[in-house]
């Protein structure tokens, strides 16, 4: 069972940047894919980005492509989400997730989740 802990959220002005981190413990070879999702109040959980520990595959939601970057650090068992040019509509709780299949954009395809970190972008 993989344990995931997110950090790095906070309050930022529109146009600013934040870097989210996700520390993964108990990782096994089957936890091959990592993803970031977000959920705003009253809305469904939304795919943001996904990658593999090898870094050989990445994919982004259209809404964040060119602004957000997902990356991994195998030595630290960590996944990052660098968020630039933030907009008020990026305000949400951001979740890190681990799964067994590459390229998944549906939350149900991920097996393990962190507790989330709040990101608030003021206008």
């Amino acid at each position: 069972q993989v344990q995931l802990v997110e950090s790095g959220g906070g309050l930022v002005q529109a146009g600013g940047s934040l870097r989210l981190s996700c520390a993964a413990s108990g990782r096994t070879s089957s936890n091959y894919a990592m993803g970031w999702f977000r959920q705003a109040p009253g809305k469904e959980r939304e795919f943001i980005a996904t990658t593999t520990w090898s870094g050989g595959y990445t994919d982004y939601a259209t809404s964040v492509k060119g602004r957000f970057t997902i990356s991994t650090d195998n030595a630290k068992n960590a996944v990052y989400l660098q968020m630039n040019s933030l907009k008020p509509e990026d305000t949400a709780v951001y979740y890190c997730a681990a799964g067994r299949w590459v390229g998944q954009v549906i939350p149900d395809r991920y097996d393990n989740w962190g507790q989330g970190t709040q990101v608030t972008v003021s206008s």
Side-chain angles (χ1 to χ4, degrees):
Q1 185 82 357
V2 177
Q3 290 80 44
L4 305 171
V5 179
E6 303 96 334
S7 61
L11 174 64
V12 64
Q13 289 188 333
S17 298
L18 279 175
R19 187 195 194 206
L20 304 184
S21 299
C22 173
S25 59
R27 175 186 152 198
T28 69
S29 60
S30 63
N31 307 119
Y32 190 66
M34 298 298 296
W36 284 98
F37 290 76
R38 68 186 180 190
Q39 189 165 18
K43 294 188 177 182
E44 294 186 353
R45 194 162 294 191
E46 174 190 16
F47 166 76
I48 297 300
T50 186
T51 189
T52 58
W53 284 106
S54 68
Y57 176 90
T58 58
D59 190 22
Y60 297 91
T62 302
S63 60
V64 306
K65 197 170 291 185
R67 300 189 298 125
F68 291 11
T69 303
I70 188 171
S71 62
T72 59
D73 186 330
N74 282 274
K76 295 182 179 180
N77 278 344
V79 183
Y80 305 101
L81 185 68
Q82 177 66 44
M83 306 186 295
N84 299 328
S85 303
L86 283 162
K87 306 175 182 179
E89 50 264 44
D90 293 320
T91 296
V93 177
Y94 283 70
Y95 296 92
C96 174
R100 289 166 284 173
W101 297 283
V102 176
Q104 301 302 309
V105 302
I106 300 173
D108 287 351
R109 301 296 284 176
Y110 288 82
D111 303 310
N112 304 103
W113 292 84
Q115 82 289 350
T117 185
Q118 176 70 46
V119 172
T120 302
V121 184
S122 63
S123 57

